[in-house]
Amino acid sequence: MEPFVFFGGKGGVGKTTVSCAYGVKSARSGLDTLVVSTDPAHSVTDVFDQPFSDDPESVEGIDGLDAMEIDPETETQRHLDGIRNDLSEQVSAAMVNEINQQLEMAHQTPGAYESALFDRFVDVMRNADPYDRVVFDTSPTGSTLRLLGLPEFLEGWIDRLMHKREKSIDLFEKAAIGNNEPRRVMDGDPVLARLQDRKEFFEFASGALQSDAAFFLVLNPDQLSVNETRRAIAEMRERDLSVRGLVANKLTPEPDPDEDGRGARYLRDRVATENERLQEVRETLDPPLVAEITTRTAEVKGDLLDDVAAEFDVETDAEAPTFV
């Protein structure tokens, strides 16, 4: 199994529970494991019943397991502050106020959240040396797919910006005079250097996601969830990201054979419907079902996490990163 494991899926299907249970399973297997939440709901705190921050902290009672919760608002502000500082060093003082105004407006623009969050979780991957396994509890499918699509989109954008910058510098050098020699500014240009850094960052992210990450999708046994899972598999395939397996969560427990009351009849009908959906998943979707998790009567936390983890037919042994 790759060192980085992502759990995604439709909102409300139980991604956090599944991510935390797999994190527990990995830690119980002797792997130093980190669970990272990129979901604004911060449910990892609820599952482990202790608060977490943007820095890894030990999970109480489970040796070898740490957790952290990335706050999107904080990361967006940090991301924009970093851009502000970089640009302030490269433009005239008269431009600084204009840059600040533009960045304040950018804070609420589409893509700012995804860009900041992407930078942070790639930073976690780059600095994952203390851990054998990093488990990512992601946002609902749509947000996650936009996040995973950023490397391809932004690599092309950076290439175009670099081309324009190089062309601009080339024209400036040809027009410059002095001692019959053009002023050479291409070497050491801070804007080009910054763009090159970003290009290498996105190349790293793309390679790490394709070479060192495994993706699992969590679904519930209903048609809406199955349909969204089907679309997610197709979109990830377009990005050269393969889905390793599917986790069916919140399955209805079947009543005992001798029960025949109204509640038992309802449960049997419900189980029959869910079995049809599961059969559809097995027959029409390529990734295998690696876990079928029955709904518990109590909230899944504490010892129940070990029970859920036991239902995973997923390896825990971690390979060494090949790209990171």
Side-chain angles (χ1 to χ4, degrees):
M1 178 67 71
E2 290 83 350
F4 304 111
V5 178
F6 289 76
F7 288 94
K10 187 174 179 290
V13 295
K15 297 182 298 296
T16 300
T17 300
V18 170
S19 301
C20 292
Y22 184 69
V24 169
K25 185 180 179 76
S26 296
R28 299 288 195 210
S29 300
L31 301 180
D32 289 325
T33 303
L34 173 66
V35 174
V36 182
S37 173
T38 62
D39 191 337
H42 292 334
S43 299
V44 169
T45 283
D46 300 323
V47 172
F48 290 121
D49 207 18
Q50 70 178 89
F52 296 101
S53 67
D54 188 52
D55 296 314
E57 299 177 40
S58 298
V59 176
E60 296 170 0
I62 304 176
D63 293 337
L65 181 62
D66 291 352
M68 62 183 289
E69 292 180 326
I70 298 175
D71 181 68
E73 185 66 25
T74 300
E75 287 307 318
T76 301
Q77 188 60 54
R78 184 183 299 170
H79 182 70
L80 295 177
D81 286 345
I83 295 174
R84 180 185 289 109
N85 292 336
D86 286 342
L87 290 177
S88 296
E89 297 173 358
Q90 298 167 19
V91 300
S92 65
M95 288 290 294
V96 171
N97 287 337
E98 178 65 23
I99 288 172
N100 287 336
Q101 293 177 18
Q102 294 293 331
L103 288 175
E104 285 304 317
M105 289 188 290
H107 189 108
Q108 301 299 329
T109 58
Y113 163 90
E114 284 86 357
S115 181
L117 196 58
F118 182 80
D119 276 19
R120 185 68 179 97
F121 93 67
V122 172
D123 182 62
V124 171
M125 295 173 73
R126 283 180 120 168
N127 296 283
D129 290 345
Y131 300 100
D132 304 306
R133 161 75 31 76
V134 180
V135 182
F136 288 91
D137 168 35
T138 69
S139 301
T141 308
S143 297
T144 299
L145 289 174
R146 287 195 298 273
L147 206 64
L148 297 177
L150 281 177
E152 180 182 0
F153 172 75
L154 291 178
E155 276 188 72
W157 181 63
I158 291 290
D159 282 338
R160 291 191 294 274
L161 286 177
M162 291 182 70
H163 174 73
K164 289 181 179 296
R165 181 66 177 176
E166 289 169 350
K167 186 175 182 180
S168 174
I169 292 174
D170 182 59
L171 291 173
F172 177 81
E173 290 177 343
K174 289 177 179 176
I177 59 174
N179 298 324
N180 298 321
E181 290 288 337
R183 288 173 54 193
R184 308 302 299 177
V185 296
M186 187 79 77
D187 295 335
D189 177 63
V191 175
L192 266 182
R194 173 65 174 169
L195 290 173
Q196 182 62 37
D197 286 344
R198 294 300 288 171
K199 178 179 172 63
E200 292 173 0
F201 178 86
F202 291 122
E203 288 174 344
F204 164 85
S206 180
L209 289 171
Q210 292 175 7
S211 302
D212 291 326
F215 296 89
F216 294 86
L217 294 177
V218 183
L219 57 92
N220 294 156
D222 61 72
Q223 197 65 63
L224 289 177
S225 184
V226 172
N227 290 347
E228 181 158 333
T229 300
R230 189 189 314 279
R231 290 191 291 268
I233 292 170
E235 290 189 43
M236 293 183 72
R237 185 178 293 121
E238 290 177 1
R239 295 183 170 94
D240 293 326
L241 301 173
S242 61
V243 177
R244 177 68 63 85
L246 306 175
V247 177
N249 191 33
K250 300 183 180 180
L251 304 185
T252 301
E254 191 162 4
D256 293 334
D258 59 341
E259 295 183 76
D260 196 34
R262 180 180 178 185
R265 291 195 296 272
Y266 165 80
L267 289 176
R268 286 195 183 91
D269 289 344
R270 180 67 188 169
V271 168
T273 300
E274 292 179 359
N275 285 338
E276 290 177 6
R277 298 287 79 77
L278 292 178
Q279 191 61 29
E280 177 184 348
V281 168
R282 294 187 187 97
E283 293 177 353
T284 65
L285 301 182
D286 291 334
L289 272 173
V290 297
E292 298 180 25
I293 303 170
T294 303
T295 298
R296 267 58 175 181
T297 55
E299 294 180 2
V300 179
K301 56 173 61 177
D303 292 340
L304 281 180
L305 281 171
D306 286 296
D307 292 342
V308 171
E311 299 185 26
F312 278 85
D313 184 19
V314 182
E315 295 179 7
T316 54
D317 291 344
E319 297 177 356
T322 58
F323 193 90
V324 176

